[in-house]
Amino acid sequence: MRIKGRLANITGQCEEFLFACALLRNILVVPVYPAATKKMLNDIVDTLTHLEYSMRKLDKCLEDQLHRIDSHLRALSDKRLRILTVLSSIFLPLTFISSLYGMNFEHMPEYHYDYAYPLCLGIMFCIALGMVIYYAIKGWFR
């Protein structure tokens, strides 16, 4: 944000300078000045025109740099959002299974099975591991 503020400040100063150049050009159009003064003012205008070209070029470079910064910040935000999406998609089925077996019903057939709890944990672990491997193969963790 500091860089954006500085770039806006520089752009504002460039606009003021360009306004002053336009005013000086308008003054030169009036044929009241002596030849020596007019020659000197034309030299100043030539120098200011060169400076104006340089400032426009600098302004374009700064604008390009600002777009690069925005693009980089957007890419970082997209990366964080992708990681958050992957984590939530891994834990969503696990949450479903744990909430399903967390219900207090009397007639769930799995309650009377001796290995229901380890089997459920094993299935949850396999689902999580399978999703992590799938996302790692797809390159979502880079």
Side-chain angles (χ1 to χ4, degrees):
M1 294 312 265
R2 290 185 320 192
I3 293 173
K4 286 184 180 181
R6 289 180 184 168
L7 290 178
N9 188 16
I10 290 171
T11 303
Q13 289 174 357
C14 289
E15 288 174 359
E16 292 172 7
F17 175 76
L18 295 176
F19 179 72
C21 289
L23 285 178
L24 186 58
R25 283 194 190 103
N26 290 337
I27 290 173
L28 282 176
V29 174
V30 180
V32 179
Y33 302 106
T37 305
K38 196 162 189 170
K39 182 183 181 313
M40 189 170 51
L41 287 174
N42 280 331
D43 289 343
I44 291 172
V45 167
D46 290 342
T47 304
L48 289 176
T49 303
H50 178 70
L51 283 172
E52 179 182 3
Y53 171 76
S54 297
M55 290 182 80
R56 288 190 192 278
K57 192 175 175 182
L58 176 66
D59 187 45
K60 186 176 183 289
C61 289
L62 290 175
E63 190 174 319
D64 290 344
Q65 191 66 22
L66 185 61
H67 287 301
R68 284 189 194 113
I69 290 169
D70 283 342
S71 174
H72 179 70
L73 291 176
R74 200 172 306 117
L76 288 177
S77 177
D78 289 347
K79 184 177 181 181
R80 289 184 195 126
L81 190 59
R82 182 174 48 183
I83 290 172
L84 182 63
T85 302
V86 166
L87 288 176
S88 59
S89 69
I90 289 172
F91 286 107
L92 185 66
L94 305 179
T95 305
F96 172 72
I97 292 171
S98 64
S99 64
L100 182 68
Y101 284 105
M103 295 182 196
N104 293 324
F105 292 120
E106 290 183 26
H107 301 291
M108 287 185 81
E110 292 86 1
Y111 280 159
H112 305 291
Y113 184 61
D114 291 337
Y115 298 106
Y117 183 71
L119 184 64
C120 183
L121 286 179
I123 290 172
M124 291 170 67
F125 178 76
C126 289
I127 289 172
L129 185 65
M131 292 181 82
V132 167
I133 291 172
Y134 174 76
Y135 286 129
I137 290 172
K138 290 291 187 178
W140 277 62
F141 292 120
R142 288 187 221 139

